[in-house]
Amino acid sequence: MNTPLASDGFRCGTVAIVGCPNVGKSTLLNTLIGQKISITSSKPQTTRLPILGIVTQETAQYVFVDTPGYQTKHKGTMNTRINQTVRDSLNEGIDAVIWVVEVNRYGAMDAQILALLPKDVPKILVISKIDSVIDKRTIFSFIEKLSALTHFRAVIPVSAHKNTQLDAIFQELRPLLPEQAALFPADELTTASARYLAAEILREKVFRQMGDEIPYASTVVIDQFEDEGGTMYRIAATIIVNRATHKPMLLGKDGEKIKHIATEARKDMEKLYGRKVFLQTWIKVREDWVEDARHFTPQ
């Protein structure tokens, strides 16, 4: 589809999606663009870098920035970098903010995020996971409570899993975007490279398959990413952990755990890329990997 020009009333702008860990930011982004580009899990610090998701409609292009979950419960270098990433994302020419708060769960960290939101940028409050609430009357009282905190252009209760009220987000956002031509081609869904997405998919499987300790002590590096004739990607990846005791846990008995993780990752990669994937994985121990800024920069 050809993207209309600004002279035709076309609008285009950048929207930051912010919120605490586990409120459903990445799930919301994936559902809005209709493709899984941001990894999800029930654990904090799943998203470590901002990722752009792009939706192009007939009259507007929405450039969404899925930011990491801002939180102060976990300390250390990683969390410091993640929180700084959130602050930077809110101060880099955004046109609007979607602040995601889980229904009936407003707390101290949500209040900290509210304080970070730019005063001069229009804000939309999205109340997530409304499908989890049995007594829907509590949603209205929760909305009333949060609406009194600051001025929102709109307050939208949603369920990303059930695709409820997502059209309302686009409707409310469009007038907030400047009139200008599209920034990206109409068929582009993300600025993230195929290489970066491969690392993220594998890291997601580590998060989902392992306990609470290993995911925070691990990262993924893509050592090889080759396109073989346009029909298959050959990918070699290393999962880096910071303790020697983590390696056998990740391997599992007779290597079954890492085989399962790699298989699940390969299936998701093939679904995303629309082609076959040959994936090889290794595990290495590097106690200081979290101090290396390269692990917090897109590959």
Side-chain angles (χ1 to χ4, degrees):
M1 129 177 120
N2 294 323
T3 304
L5 300 176
S7 58
D8 300 318
F10 191 84
R11 293 179 180 270
C12 176
T14 303
V15 182
I17 304 176
V18 298
C20 291
N22 302 332
V23 296
K25 300 182 303 300
S26 296
T27 301
L28 176 65
L29 173 66
N30 292 338
T31 308
L32 286 171
I33 71 170
Q35 177 68 273
K36 183 175 179 178
I37 61 166
S38 192
I39 67 174
T40 61
S41 87
S42 61
K43 298 178 176 66
Q45 298 182 337
T46 303
T47 301
R48 293 177 181 169
L49 291 168
I51 188 167
L52 292 187
I54 305 161
V55 177
T56 305
Q57 299 178 347
E58 290 295 335
T59 61
Q61 184 176 82
Y62 306 84
V63 182
F64 294 104
V65 182
D66 178 24
T67 64
Y70 187 93
Q71 58 90 31
T72 56
K73 181 179 179 181
H74 298 280
K75 306 296 182 181
T77 301
M78 182 191 300
N79 193 65
T80 298
R81 292 183 187 275
I82 287 174
N83 285 349
Q84 187 59 51
T85 295
V86 177
R87 289 190 289 269
D88 291 345
S89 297
L90 289 170
N91 290 283
E92 293 182 355
I94 57 173
D95 299 295
V97 172
I98 292 177
W99 180 34
V100 184
V101 179
E102 184 176 345
V103 64
N104 296 337
R105 288 185 177 273
Y106 180 80
M109 281 195 292
D110 296 286
Q112 291 182 41
I113 295 170
L114 177 60
L116 291 175
L117 302 184
K119 299 293 188 291
D120 57 344
V121 175
K123 294 171 276 292
I124 291 177
L125 172 60
V126 167
I127 308 296
S128 65
K129 305 183 183 181
I130 61 171
D131 54 303
S132 66
V133 177
I134 297 176
D135 185 355
K136 303 301 183 186
R137 292 173 297 180
T138 64
I139 298 176
F140 296 105
S141 59
F142 186 69
I143 288 174
E144 188 175 59
K145 172 185 174 182
L146 267 60
S147 296
L149 298 175
T150 191
H151 174 67
F152 298 105
R153 296 299 182 97
V155 180
I156 308 172
V158 308
S159 168
H161 285 298
K162 295 192 174 182
N163 211 0
T164 303
Q165 286 275 85
L166 298 189
D167 285 344
I169 294 178
F170 291 115
Q171 292 169 9
E172 295 292 346
L173 279 177
R174 187 181 181 278
L176 306 180
L177 306 182
E179 285 197 18
Q180 62 177 345
L183 297 172
F184 300 96
D187 59 351
E188 193 165 333
L189 297 180
T190 180
T191 58
S193 67
R195 185 187 189 99
Y196 172 76
L197 291 173
E200 287 291 273
I201 289 171
L202 181 55
R203 192 165 63 84
E204 179 191 57
K205 301 313 172 189
V206 174
F207 265 70
R208 288 181 175 271
Q209 296 297 323
M210 304 307 296
D212 289 334
E213 185 178 8
I214 287 181
Y216 306 115
S218 66
T219 192
V220 173
V221 173
I222 301 299
D223 305 302
Q224 177 189 20
F225 193 101
E226 295 183 358
D227 184 347
E228 297 202 346
T231 60
M232 184 180 79
Y233 283 135
R234 183 176 294 275
I235 302 171
T238 300
I239 301 171
I240 298 175
V241 294
N242 68 0
R243 294 182 185 178
T245 55
H246 289 162
K247 186 172 182 178
M249 295 167 63
L250 196 53
L251 280 169
K253 184 179 180 180
D254 298 324
E256 289 302 314
K257 178 67 73 173
I258 190 61
K259 288 178 184 177
H260 179 69
I261 289 171
T263 297
E264 292 301 306
R266 177 184 55 77
K267 290 178 181 178
D268 273 13
M269 291 176 193
E270 290 180 340
K271 183 177 180 181
L272 176 64
Y273 303 140
R275 64 173 67 182
K276 290 290 184 180
V277 169
F278 178 78
L279 175 64
Q280 292 178 297
T281 58
W282 288 268
I283 305 170
K284 291 183 180 179
V285 179
R286 273 194 56 196
E287 295 181 358
D288 62 343
W289 74 260
V290 74
E291 304 295 336
D292 189 340
R294 290 176 298 177
H295 295 301
F296 298 89
T297 304
Q299 298 182 54

